[in-house]
Amino acid sequence: MFHTGLRSGTAVRTEEQADEAELYFQRCRWCRNTTFQRLLCPTCGSTDLVPELSEGEGVISVRRGTTAAEADLWPVHMAEGFVVRCRVDGPLHAVRPGVRVKLAGAGSSGRRPVVRLCEEVPLDGWI
């Protein structure tokens, strides 16, 4: 589940509210593996998953087999060990595997987390 930290009745997000964005993942009580939005633990098959709050920091990973509908989604390996597909807020030349990101909020649909680049990535001469 993904919570944006928005208070009920608030229609416009501010920069302060972006800092309040929350991302919950699941940890298996049996094997301690972490996962995101699953019914069963992918390691041991247990249904005993408890929600935990992520610190919201991760690294963009390599994406494979992307469809046109998912062109703006990137897999992000979060610090806690789970992977979540996110929209990345940043210049196109900077969005690539290995770049550190931090949770920024929810997208327009509210279903996919949005992450923001942690550091400036210089142009590499190809653009």
Side-chain angles (χ1 to χ4, degrees), residues 25-50 81-82:
F25 64 98
Q26 298 156 300
R27 185 176 303 274
C28 177
R29 287 188 199 227
W30 290 91
C31 70
R32 308 298 299 159
N33 186 45
T34 58
T35 190
F36 185 71
Q37 294 184 345
R38 293 281 190 96
L39 296 175
L40 300 173
C41 172
T43 303
C44 70
S46 171
T47 58
D48 197 3
L49 302 172
V50 292
F82 66 97

Side-chain angles (χ1 to χ4, degrees), residues 1-113:
M1 78 175 71
F2 177 71
H3 298 280
T4 61
L6 289 177
R7 290 160 184 61
S8 61
T10 304
V12 178
R13 290 178 52 88
T14 64
E15 195 62 36
E16 296 162 0
Q17 289 171 327
D19 292 337
E20 296 177 16
E22 296 176 333
L23 181 68
Y24 285 88
F25 64 98
Q26 298 156 300
R27 185 176 303 274
C28 177
R29 287 188 199 227
W30 290 91
C31 70
R32 308 298 299 159
N33 186 45
T34 58
T35 190
F36 185 71
Q37 294 184 345
R38 293 281 190 96
L39 296 175
L40 300 173
C41 172
T43 303
C44 70
S46 171
T47 58
D48 197 3
L49 302 172
V50 292
E52 289 187 20
L53 181 62
S54 172
E55 296 206 13
E57 296 182 1
V59 176
I60 296 175
S61 181
V62 176
R63 63 182 176 178
R64 291 175 172 69
T66 304
T67 64
E70 299 174 332
D72 62 340
L73 297 177
W74 286 83
V76 175
H77 283 265
M78 302 304 282
E80 294 84 5
F82 66 97
V83 178
V84 61
R85 294 170 55 83
C86 302
R87 297 187 193 291
V88 181
D89 181 19
L92 291 178
H93 76 274
V95 179
R96 55 184 168 209
V99 175
R100 291 181 335 112
V101 292
K102 182 154 181 72
L103 185 65
S108 59
S109 67
R111 292 181 9 206
R112 290 289 181 183

